[in-house]
Amino acid sequence: RRSKTGEVVYKDSFGSHVAGIVQADYRGDGNVELICCSVDGEVRGYLSASTVQPGGVGGAGREEWAGQDHWKQLESLAQRKQNLLLELRNFEASEKVSRSKDPLSEISQGGQPMGVIPAGTLLRTEFSAFLPDGGGGGGGGGGKLAPHIELSVEATNDTVIRAVVIFAEGLFEGESHIITQFHVFEATRRLPQFSLYIPCPLATEPHPQGRVAFNVPERLETVTGWLNDSFMYGAGEDSVLTPYLHVAFLSLRSSFPLILSFKPAQNGAFTIETDDLDLAGDIIQSLASYVGLTDLSVTASFPQQMKELRDVLEEVEELHKIRQKLSAEMADNSALIRNLVVRAEDARIMNDMGNMKKAYFQLYELNKDLMLGYNIRSNNHLELLECLRIVNQAIQKTGNLRVGKPKAQLIAACRAAIKNKDNDTLIKTMMNGAS
């Protein structure tokens, strides 16, 4: 930057972050340079313009280097560099769009991919004068327009010109004049929470095995309103023709069905049929929030998930047994190590080199066994942590099927069952609740 005005004269950039900036005579020629180091080890030096000796840069002397003409040339080159870099980035972005597999990139114009300007594209510009009486170049229309000069800009092919910026010193206020032919309309639309589930026939296979049942003391119109608000259902209150609700949806992610049933006449019986435990919890939390439920108990049945959870619980028990066995072996080896160290030291004091070597060889072999045992124990610990994480997630998911106090009671009861190592009680609690 210029010291008086702060105007940027020269810019440079590294390929990585700058680690430090120092002043030093790096080249040993008596001139102090500004030295920049990047985190990748790249070093660049910059010499002050006022310290360049005559003939140092292109044969120019100090006066020419610091003169106004040089600054203008340097500023012009820096600006040109920035423009070329910007143009290069635009070309790279266009090439990236044309090579991507996004279906939108297949949209073409004049045989060219979207965002790519055909090679050889040129601009034709033409000036024409306009007079109110229709004289002159005849480029403009009639009416009440004042005399003016018209500029026509077009491409030599089907490329669409979306905007024109005219720079003319002293001709326009603010240095430039911009013409665009676009208007922007802003609209806000809420995306339904379960928008990736589309209506489908009730007989869609495979039929879900998972099921959650509970009671919602609400009218059919209220539940239908929640359904329209949370799903792309498209049915209004006046479209309900039956005294109950029974609809099916298909997941766009997994292609598995979701079935919802609500019967107000049966004390507001609500049933969710899905094999996705997370989805069932999200639906219950959304419905409870919509109708204002503070406490909600449910009964659930997810045979596949509970079978997988039981397998994990059995693996946890096995890993605990292995951990205890490894700990006992490590304690025995620790006692043996102390004994061997004492024997080796006694042999050294008695100058019995043979027994000393024998004891240290046994220590070496025992140390290898300890290292191997440590690696096994470390892997066992990681596997145990992963299994416990799965169990904890399953508890949180089943807790998400409840609202309020029943949710807190279920989590507390599940933790108690885990502490007592009662897997059967744990699974029953997760499905039927703490009560």
Coordinates of all heavy atoms in Angstrom, one line a residue, residues 211-218 220 223 244-245 260-272 287:
R211 N -43.9 -51.6 15.5 CA -45.2 -51.0 15.8 C -45.1 -50.3 17.1 O -44.5 -50.7 18.1 CB -46.3 -52.1 15.8 CG -47.7 -51.7 16.0 CD -48.6 -52.9 15.9 NE -50.0 -52.5 15.9 CZ -50.7 -52.3 17.0 NH1 -50.1 -52.5 18.2 NH2 -52.0 -51.9 17.0
V212 N -45.8 -49.1 17.1 CA -45.9 -48.3 18.3 C -47.4 -47.9 18.5 O -48.0 -47.5 17.5 CB -45.1 -47.0 18.3 CG1 -45.2 -46.2 19.6 CG2 -43.6 -47.3 18.0
A213 N -48.0 -48.1 19.7 CA -49.4 -47.8 19.9 C -49.5 -46.9 21.1 O -48.8 -47.1 22.2 CB -50.2 -49.1 20.1
F214 N -50.4 -45.9 21.1 CA -50.6 -45.0 22.2 C -52.0 -44.3 21.9 O -52.6 -44.6 20.9 CB -49.5 -44.0 22.3 CG -49.2 -43.2 21.0 CD1 -49.7 -42.0 20.7 CD2 -48.3 -43.8 20.1 CE1 -49.5 -41.3 19.6 CE2 -48.0 -43.1 18.9 CZ -48.6 -41.9 18.6
N215 N -52.4 -43.5 22.8 CA -53.7 -42.8 22.7 C -53.4 -41.3 22.7 O -52.6 -40.7 23.5 CB -54.5 -43.1 23.9 CG -54.9 -44.6 23.9 OD1 -54.3 -45.4 24.6 ND2 -55.9 -45.0 23.2
V216 N -54.2 -40.6 21.8 CA -54.1 -39.2 21.6 C -55.5 -38.7 21.7 O -56.4 -38.9 20.8 CB -53.5 -38.8 20.3 CG1 -53.5 -37.3 20.1 CG2 -52.1 -39.4 20.1
P217 N -55.9 -38.0 22.8 CA -57.3 -37.5 23.0 C -57.5 -36.3 22.2 O -57.7 -35.2 22.8 CB -57.3 -37.3 24.5 CG -55.9 -36.9 24.9 CD -55.1 -37.8 24.0
E218 N -57.6 -36.4 20.9 CA -57.8 -35.2 20.0 C -58.8 -35.6 19.0 O -59.1 -36.8 18.7 CB -56.5 -34.8 19.4 CG -55.4 -34.2 20.3 CD -55.8 -32.9 20.9 OE1 -56.7 -32.2 20.3 OE2 -55.3 -32.5 21.9
L220 N -60.3 -35.8 15.0 CA -59.8 -36.3 13.8 C -59.2 -35.1 13.0 O -58.2 -35.2 12.3 CB -60.8 -37.0 13.0 CG -60.4 -37.6 11.6 CD1 -59.2 -38.6 11.8 CD2 -61.5 -38.3 10.9
V223 N -55.7 -34.1 14.2 CA -54.6 -35.0 13.7 C -54.4 -34.9 12.2 O -53.3 -34.9 11.7 CB -55.0 -36.4 14.1 CG1 -53.9 -37.4 13.5 CG2 -55.1 -36.6 15.6
Y244 N -62.2 -42.3 10.7 CA -60.9 -42.6 11.2 C -59.8 -42.3 10.1 O -60.2 -42.0 9.0 CB -60.8 -44.1 11.6 CG -61.0 -45.1 10.5 CD1 -60.0 -45.5 9.6 CD2 -62.3 -45.5 10.2 CE1 -60.2 -46.4 8.6 CE2 -62.6 -46.4 9.1 CZ -61.5 -46.8 8.3 OH -61.8 -47.6 7.3
L245 N -58.6 -42.4 10.5 CA -57.5 -42.1 9.6 C -56.6 -43.3 9.4 O -56.1 -43.9 10.4 CB -56.6 -40.9 10.2 CG -55.5 -40.4 9.3 CD1 -56.0 -39.7 8.0 CD2 -54.6 -39.4 10.1
L260 N -49.7 -45.1 9.2 CA -50.3 -44.4 10.3 C -51.8 -44.6 10.4 O -52.5 -44.6 9.4 CB -50.0 -42.9 10.2 CG -48.6 -42.4 10.0 CD1 -48.5 -40.9 9.8 CD2 -47.7 -42.8 11.2
S261 N -52.2 -44.9 11.7 CA -53.7 -45.1 11.9 C -54.1 -44.4 13.1 O -53.4 -44.4 14.2 CB -53.9 -46.7 12.1 OG -55.2 -46.9 12.4
F262 N -55.3 -43.7 13.0 CA -55.9 -43.0 14.1 C -57.4 -43.2 14.2 O -58.1 -43.0 13.2 CB -55.5 -41.5 14.0 CG -56.2 -40.6 15.1 CD1 -55.8 -40.8 16.4 CD2 -57.1 -39.7 14.8 CE1 -56.4 -40.0 17.4 CE2 -57.7 -38.9 15.7 CZ -57.3 -39.1 17.1
K263 N -57.8 -43.7 15.3 CA -59.3 -44.0 15.5 C -59.8 -43.2 16.7 O -59.6 -43.6 17.8 CB -59.5 -45.5 15.7 CG -59.0 -46.3 14.5 CD -59.2 -47.8 14.7 CE -58.7 -48.5 13.5 NZ -58.8 -50.0 13.7
P264 N -60.4 -42.0 16.5 CA -60.9 -41.2 17.6 C -62.0 -42.0 18.4 O -62.1 -41.8 19.6 CB -61.6 -40.0 16.9 CG -60.9 -40.0 15.5 CD -60.7 -41.4 15.2
A265 N -62.8 -42.8 17.8 CA -63.8 -43.5 18.5 C -63.3 -44.5 19.5 O -64.0 -44.9 20.5 CB -64.8 -44.2 17.5
Q266 N -62.1 -45.0 19.4 CA -61.4 -45.9 20.3 C -60.5 -45.2 21.2 O -59.3 -45.6 21.4 CB -60.7 -47.0 19.5 CG -61.6 -47.8 18.6 CD -60.9 -48.9 17.9 OE1 -59.7 -49.2 18.1 NE2 -61.6 -49.5 16.9
N267 N -61.0 -44.2 21.9 CA -60.2 -43.4 22.8 C -59.0 -42.8 22.2 O -57.9 -42.6 22.9 CB -59.8 -44.3 24.0 CG -59.4 -43.4 25.2 OD1 -59.8 -42.3 25.4 ND2 -58.7 -44.0 26.1
G268 N -59.1 -42.4 20.9 CA -57.9 -41.8 20.3 C -56.8 -42.7 20.0 O -55.6 -42.3 20.1
A269 N -57.1 -44.0 19.7 CA -56.0 -44.9 19.5 C -55.2 -44.5 18.2 O -55.7 -44.4 17.1 CB -56.6 -46.3 19.3
F270 N -53.9 -44.4 18.4 CA -52.9 -44.0 17.4 C -51.9 -45.1 17.2 O -51.3 -45.6 18.2 CB -52.3 -42.7 17.7 CG -51.7 -42.0 16.5 CD1 -52.3 -40.8 16.0 CD2 -50.6 -42.5 15.8 CE1 -51.7 -40.2 14.9 CE2 -50.1 -41.9 14.7 CZ -50.7 -40.7 14.2
T271 N -51.7 -45.6 16.0 CA -50.7 -46.6 15.7 C -49.7 -46.2 14.6 O -50.1 -45.6 13.6 CB -51.4 -47.9 15.3 OG1 -52.4 -48.3 16.3 CG2 -50.4 -49.1 15.1
I272 N -48.5 -46.4 14.9 CA -47.4 -46.2 13.9 C -46.8 -47.5 13.6 O -46.3 -48.2 14.5 CB -46.4 -45.2 14.4 CG1 -47.0 -43.9 14.9 CG2 -45.3 -45.0 13.4 CD1 -46.0 -42.9 15.6
L287 N -45.9 -35.0 16.7 CA -47.3 -35.0 17.0 C -47.6 -34.4 18.4 O -48.5 -33.6 18.6 CB -47.9 -36.4 16.9 CG -49.3 -36.6 17.3 CD1 -50.2 -35.8 16.4 CD2 -49.7 -38.1 17.2

